[in-house]
Amino acid sequence: MSVNWDLVWSSLGPMLIGAIQGTIPLALASFVLGLVLALAVALMRLSRYRVVAAIARAYVSIIRGTPLLVQLFVIFYGLPSIGVTISPWPSAIIAFSLNVGGYAAEVIRAAILSVPKGQWEAGHTIGMSRRQTLVRVILPQAARVSVPPLSNTFISLVKDTSLASLILVTELFRQAQQVAAFSQEFMLLYLEAAVIYWIICLVLSSGQSLLEKRLGRYVAH
Amino acid sequence: MSHTEPAAGATDAPVLEVRGLRKSFGDHTVLKSIDLTVRRGQVVALIGPSGSGKTTVLRCLNGLEVPDAGTVEVAGEVRVDFAAAPSRGQLAALRDRSAMVFQHYNLFPHRTVLENIIEGPVQVQRRRRAEAEAEALSLLGRVGLADKRDSYPFELSGGQQQRVGIVRALALRPQLLLFDEPTSALDPELVGDVLTVIKELADEGWTMLIVTHELAFARQVANEVIFMDGGVVVERGHPDTVLRAPRQERTKQFVDRLLNPF
């Protein structure tokens, strides 16, 4: 089997455009929004008010208990039938953010709980309010603990954005599909797409190591 | 250091008045009506077996636990009656006037020594950063740790961490210092450094309530020793009396066991 290098080369352009204009911004925007949502949900789960905690628990349960593809389809193909039509990009960002929100909420909750109770007490005894203690004492320590699992979430998300091709978002995988359909070189083009995803994830992994090092400067090695 | 030293004079004014303090956790009653007075410049040592409630007393005074009943009055300025649930403001007012030193130091691991110390003065008391730093550095110098200002807690020994913990408490300029077994987590050879610092504070006239198992230290430093067991005060008085010639059989057993463990 000989490799059609011309095709590899000529398809690289559209795929990289798909990555740069689709995959990467989609993943970044969804992750940032998802993290904000996740922090809120994590704090709700830790709330003293049972109703608040129950709402957060139900949300996490629904997100984790249903396939991401189904969530995406409900938003893009389902909502129009009740009169809510959302275009592909916003649909994808909503679905992915909600998904990250559910998974990352559990990570953040666990990270907050992993900070020793004595840290809350130290904050209180120097006169800090709960909110001040949370922001200045607990969350910075929780952040360090949550970097590895949140990196996992982010890397999964980068790959999951390929599902957005099914709701007509032009991203890396959709570009690969289109070139493949045209040229009938499925093996070559899907492997090429896989390599590009892999490279993106390698870059992210090294970013994770840097971040861990930076946040770990106050821990014994 | 005049700005951190307690006001001189009025040595018999109570800094802490506790009456009828009660606390239960579920069905388990930990404190059954505790009375306690600490006067200005006095050092009171709270001793007793584990589970006797002595740590709970401290935690109630600093608002880490909310008592079920009783009154706590600090410096004649704040009086909280726990018959009703206290407001956040009342708990904050109690905390403002006392400072706690923990058994396990509880320094903030993500902040340097200096940042640990100025956190309360700058973030809570809204003092100027430069002023808080200057005061923190002079306090650090007094406990022999001036060169550790930029270290993180994990880079310090337990004894050094606890001295930073003490400085963090002093920097709040409290009326009352609360020590919760300040040397219990330390390696034996590091205990002396921390006790020396506490003794110096006593000599300077700081008002302190100390939960401790160091009986020799209590005898040397305390004005009064209180022996607690089962949530009540069994015996209180001059250290020489309580520790050397206790009147109560339970006190005698406890002291004997600590002095002669084998």
Side-chain angles (χ1 to χ4, degrees):
Chain A
M1 180 186 147
S2 72
V3 175
N4 182 348
W5 288 105
D6 286 344
L7 183 61
V8 170
W9 187 244
S10 66
S11 61
L12 193 58
M15 283 203 213
L16 286 181
I17 287 174
I20 292 165
Q21 295 186 349
T23 304
I24 294 171
L26 189 55
L28 274 178
S30 306
F31 190 64
V32 170
L33 291 174
L35 275 191
V36 173
L37 181 64
L39 178 59
V41 173
L43 294 176
M44 284 171 69
R45 282 216 54 181
L46 296 168
S47 166
R48 281 167 289 186
Y49 303 105
R50 282 188 193 174
V51 180
V52 175
I55 292 170
R57 206 163 39 242
Y59 166 72
V60 170
S61 167
I62 291 167
I63 292 295
R64 293 205 302 188
T66 58
L68 176 53
L69 185 58
V70 173
Q71 295 164 11
L72 202 60
F73 274 34
V74 165
I75 290 168
F76 185 70
Y77 293 113
L79 287 183
S81 62
I82 57 165
V84 181
T85 305
I86 308 174
S87 13
W89 258 87
S91 292
I93 290 184
I94 291 170
F96 293 135
S97 305
L98 288 174
N99 197 263
V100 169
Y103 280 93
E106 288 299 281
V107 170
I108 295 174
R109 182 179 71 99
I112 290 174
L113 290 175
S114 77
V115 178
K117 195 169 144 249
Q119 291 291 310
W120 283 100
E121 297 186 342
H124 290 327
T125 53
I126 66 168
M128 286 182 163
S129 63
R130 274 180 67 86
R131 188 194 193 84
Q132 265 181 317
T133 308
L134 180 73
V135 171
R136 296 196 54 87
V137 178
I138 305 300
L139 289 182
Q141 297 182 58
R144 183 182 64 80
V145 182
S146 42
V147 167
L150 286 182
S151 301
N152 253 347
T153 309
F154 189 40
I155 286 171
S156 297
L157 173 66
V158 168
K159 295 174 294 172
D160 287 345
T161 55
S162 57
L163 292 174
S165 64
L166 296 168
I167 62 165
L168 315 176
V169 172
T170 302
E171 44 66 71
L172 171 51
F173 184 67
R174 189 167 162 80
Q175 297 288 69
Q177 269 184 313
Q178 282 177 346
V179 183
F182 183 76
S183 66
Q184 297 292 303
E185 289 267 20
F186 295 104
M187 186 64 167
L188 182 67
L189 290 159
Y190 288 151
L191 279 180
E192 187 179 341
V195 169
I196 298 175
Y197 277 112
W198 187 34
I199 291 171
I200 296 174
C201 291
L202 281 177
V203 171
L204 289 176
S205 297
S206 54
Q208 173 187 351
S209 310
L210 285 176
L211 195 57
E212 281 181 31
K213 217 173 249 169
R214 162 110 189 102
L215 290 173
R217 69 193 183 286
Y218 58 81
V219 202
H221 300 291
Chain B
M1 293 308 304
S2 58
H3 52 287
T4 56
E5 271 164 32
T11 38
D12 51 358
V15 170
L16 176 70
E17 286 257 38
V18 177
R19 291 289 169 265
L21 198 69
R22 286 172 194 276
K23 175 71 184 171
S24 306
F25 294 109
D27 294 338
H28 181 56
T29 304
V30 185
L31 299 178
K32 305 167 184 163
S33 196
I34 301 291
D35 295 339
L36 195 65
T37 302
V38 185
R39 298 182 184 284
R40 190 167 302 287
Q42 256 197 339
V43 178
V44 173
L46 214 48
I47 63 169
S50 46
S52 60
K54 53 197 194 307
T55 289
T56 307
V57 171
L58 280 199
R59 293 172 60 84
C60 286
L61 300 180
N62 205 236
L64 292 177
E65 306 287 354
V66 177
D68 302 326
T71 61
V72 174
E73 189 174 343
V74 181
E77 295 166 3
V78 194
R79 185 173 183 280
V80 183
D81 186 344
F82 289 99
S87 68
R88 277 189 200 187
Q90 284 179 308
L91 291 180
L94 276 188
R95 276 182 198 135
D96 281 351
R97 283 158 184 82
S98 62
M100 182 97 147
V101 175
F102 294 93
Q103 179 178 0
H104 296 285
Y105 338 127
N106 292 0
L107 297 182
F108 305 127
H110 59 304
R111 300 197 183 278
T112 63
V113 165
L114 186 63
E115 288 168 345
N116 261 278
I117 299 165
I118 65 170
E119 183 74 9
V122 172
Q123 296 297 328
V124 179
Q125 300 179 343
R126 301 284 165 200
R127 274 147 63 184
R128 294 228 324 276
R129 190 182 185 91
E131 174 205 311
E133 282 190 3
E135 185 173 333
L137 287 173
S138 114
L139 288 167
L140 269 180
R142 281 192 359 189
V143 300
L145 293 176
D147 58 328
K148 300 292 185 191
R149 52 174 285 177
D150 295 322
S151 301
Y152 284 95
F154 82 89
E155 297 171 302
L156 307 181
S157 72
Q160 292 172 329
Q161 289 192 51
Q162 190 59 299
R163 281 181 277 159
V164 174
I166 293 171
V167 169
R168 180 171 70 175
L170 293 178
L172 297 168
R173 301 178 177 173
Q175 307 258 3
L176 173 69
L177 285 170
L178 306 169
F179 291 85
D180 184 14
E181 302 194 25
T183 59
S184 297
L186 295 177
D187 289 336
E189 78 270 23
L190 303 176
V191 168
D193 287 348
V194 171
L195 292 183
T196 303
V197 169
I198 300 175
K199 186 174 180 318
E200 282 168 10
L201 296 175
D203 293 342
E204 282 168 27
W206 284 88
T207 311
M208 303 194 272
L209 183 57
I210 306 177
V211 170
T212 186
H213 290 296
E214 301 284 341
L215 297 192
F217 173 73
R219 230 189 108 217
Q220 200 187 347
V221 172
N223 304 99
E224 185 186 16
V225 171
I226 297 178
F227 172 67
M228 282 181 67
D229 192 15
V232 296
V233 171
V234 174
E235 183 163 359
R236 67 174 91 211
H238 192 276
D240 286 339
T241 315
V242 178
L243 299 175
R244 296 218 122 170
R247 284 179 287 260
Q248 302 293 326
E249 189 54 31
R250 266 195 291 174
T251 316
K252 189 176 174 332
Q253 283 170 358
F254 175 76
V255 171
D256 282 347
R257 201 165 305 140
L258 274 200
L259 294 180
N260 309 299
F262 304 111

